[in-house]
Amino acid sequence: MIVTITPNPALDVTYHVPSLTPGSEHRVHHMYVRPGGKGINTAKVLSQLGQQTIATGFLGGGNGETMIRLLDEDHVPHSFVQAASSTRRTVSIIDPINGATLFNEPGEERTEREWDELIELLNGMQTPDLFTVNGSFPPNTSEATVRRLYRGLLATGAIVLVDTSHEPLRWAIEEGVHAVKPNQHELAELVSSDTEDVRISLARLLEHVQFVVASRGADGMIAQVRGGDAVEVPAAKFVVGNPTGAGDSVVASLARSIVRDGLEAAHQPDVLRTWVADAIALSAATVAAPVAGEFDEATYWELLGEQA
């Protein structure tokens, strides 16, 4: 069982337009409304892969009610804390020239009582194999609250995989979560250098966590487990589409691989290379899908064969 935690979910609205011109009126050719937020996207992909999962976090207001209905329609298991204020929205505008233009609302602050309810909910679950903590935290979430969440998850004995950014990512590393998935910019921010050799940066993070996977855009991904060798895998061929949610599919792939094989298996370079190749193929197949939280299965299998 994989439990995905989305502290700041969003109702995703995606518009496809023939062209995007600022200051002009646009006719939308296709519109999609989907439950979103990084952890929810990860849970949706895991469900599509046939992996047992539960999505959790905070949902509130009319947007939250819509997201519950859509998750039920997609047969994605979930257990959310009912928040007093409404869930935010994100808007993606997709056009052939610019790709995706994103508008992300910040979301509403969550009360200490709501955080208590979420932590109590997580502690009351039958211990899963793995927790993921995905995406941003609500505005004004305190350091103490974020660290309390991480410590509570670690205390369950489950593996904890974190995909967030800025200070919450730094706090996750300091708390010693098992695994993190920074991108190249987040990695540079963590080590306060954008010129340091990536392998040196990984070694510094591995002093605190057991497993790091860094996505590097066109340069593919590099991964390393503490005590093991770094493995680099090139990017998949360029796929046209909507990149929103591609990183969430990386988390889904990694979580599935860790649960299936065990984190210790990453010490075997061939196994680790297989994990990363799968993550790259699934990420690219997500770009090929019209909305985040889904992937194009034909593209996935095609790219996976090319990565082998």
Side-chain angles (χ1 to χ4, degrees):
M1 167 69 77
I2 297 170
V3 175
T4 72
I5 304 166
T6 312
N8 200 19
L11 182 65
D12 283 345
V13 180
T14 303
Y15 296 126
H16 287 256
V17 297
S19 63
L20 179 63
T21 305
S24 299
E25 180 178 332
H26 296 80
R27 185 176 296 278
V28 176
H29 282 190
H30 302 286
M31 184 187 79
Y32 302 92
V33 179
R34 295 288 189 272
K38 285 182 170 295
I40 291 176
N41 290 338
T42 294
K44 288 164 63 181
V45 168
L46 286 169
S47 290
Q48 191 175 346
L49 288 167
Q51 173 70 50
Q52 189 178 15
T53 186
I54 295 177
T56 188
F58 303 106
L59 289 179
N63 289 340
E65 292 175 359
T66 299
M67 291 175 68
I68 290 293
R69 176 178 57 80
L70 293 173
L71 286 169
D72 288 340
E73 290 177 0
D74 290 339
H75 306 290
V76 178
H78 56 81
S79 181
F80 286 91
V81 169
Q82 180 64 44
S85 53
S86 184
T87 296
R88 68 189 179 121
R89 293 174 301 172
T90 62
V91 177
S92 301
I93 301 175
I94 313 297
D95 75 282
I97 303 300
N98 301 289
T101 301
L102 307 178
F103 298 87
N104 296 323
E105 297 178 1
E108 298 289 338
E109 183 175 350
R110 298 304 172 202
T111 66
E112 284 303 311
R113 174 176 290 183
E114 288 168 343
W115 276 107
D116 289 343
E117 288 183 23
L118 178 60
I119 292 172
E120 182 179 350
L121 171 66
L122 296 169
N123 289 340
M125 288 182 173
Q126 182 177 355
T127 302
D129 300 292
L130 186 146
F131 286 107
T132 70
V133 181
N134 308 64
S136 65
F137 281 74
N140 301 318
T141 303
S142 69
E143 176 180 351
T145 295
V146 177
R147 288 183 182 271
R148 182 160 68 103
L149 173 65
Y150 293 146
R151 289 170 187 168
L153 299 178
L154 289 167
T156 67
I159 293 172
V160 181
L161 167 60
V162 174
D163 178 25
T164 183
S165 59
H166 306 304
E167 290 306 309
L169 178 56
R170 189 179 303 279
W171 298 332
I173 293 165
E174 291 174 355
E175 290 296 334
V177 302
H178 298 87
V180 293
K181 192 212 73 65
N183 60 34
Q184 56 189 346
H185 304 297
E186 293 160 352
L187 187 62
E189 184 179 75
L190 287 168
V191 299
S192 302
S193 172
D194 57 4
T195 59
E196 182 175 81
D197 183 271
V198 66
R199 292 172 182 259
I200 296 176
S201 299
L202 292 185
R204 293 173 63 180
L205 295 190
L206 289 169
E207 295 174 2
H208 305 278
V209 303
Q210 296 181 36
F211 185 50
V212 180
V213 179
S215 54
R216 300 188 292 165
D219 293 326
M221 294 184 193
I222 183 169
Q224 188 172 4
V225 66
R226 184 189 297 163
D229 296 326
V231 167
E232 296 184 62
V233 179
K237 69 179 182 182
F238 180 73
V239 176
V240 177
N242 178 9
T244 306
D248 309 327
S249 290
V250 171
V251 175
S253 174
L254 294 172
R256 181 178 66 154
S257 294
I258 291 170
V259 167
R260 182 189 63 225
D261 300 332
L263 193 53
E264 286 299 310
H267 286 93
Q268 303 172 49
D270 288 346
V271 171
L272 182 53
R273 187 174 302 278
T274 298
W275 289 9
V276 178
D278 184 87
I280 288 173
L282 190 61
S283 174
T286 299
V287 175
V291 293
E294 299 177 6
F295 66 92
D296 183 87
E297 293 193 19
T299 301
Y300 170 57
W301 289 111
E302 176 189 350
L303 294 177
L304 195 59
E306 294 178 0
Q307 292 287 101

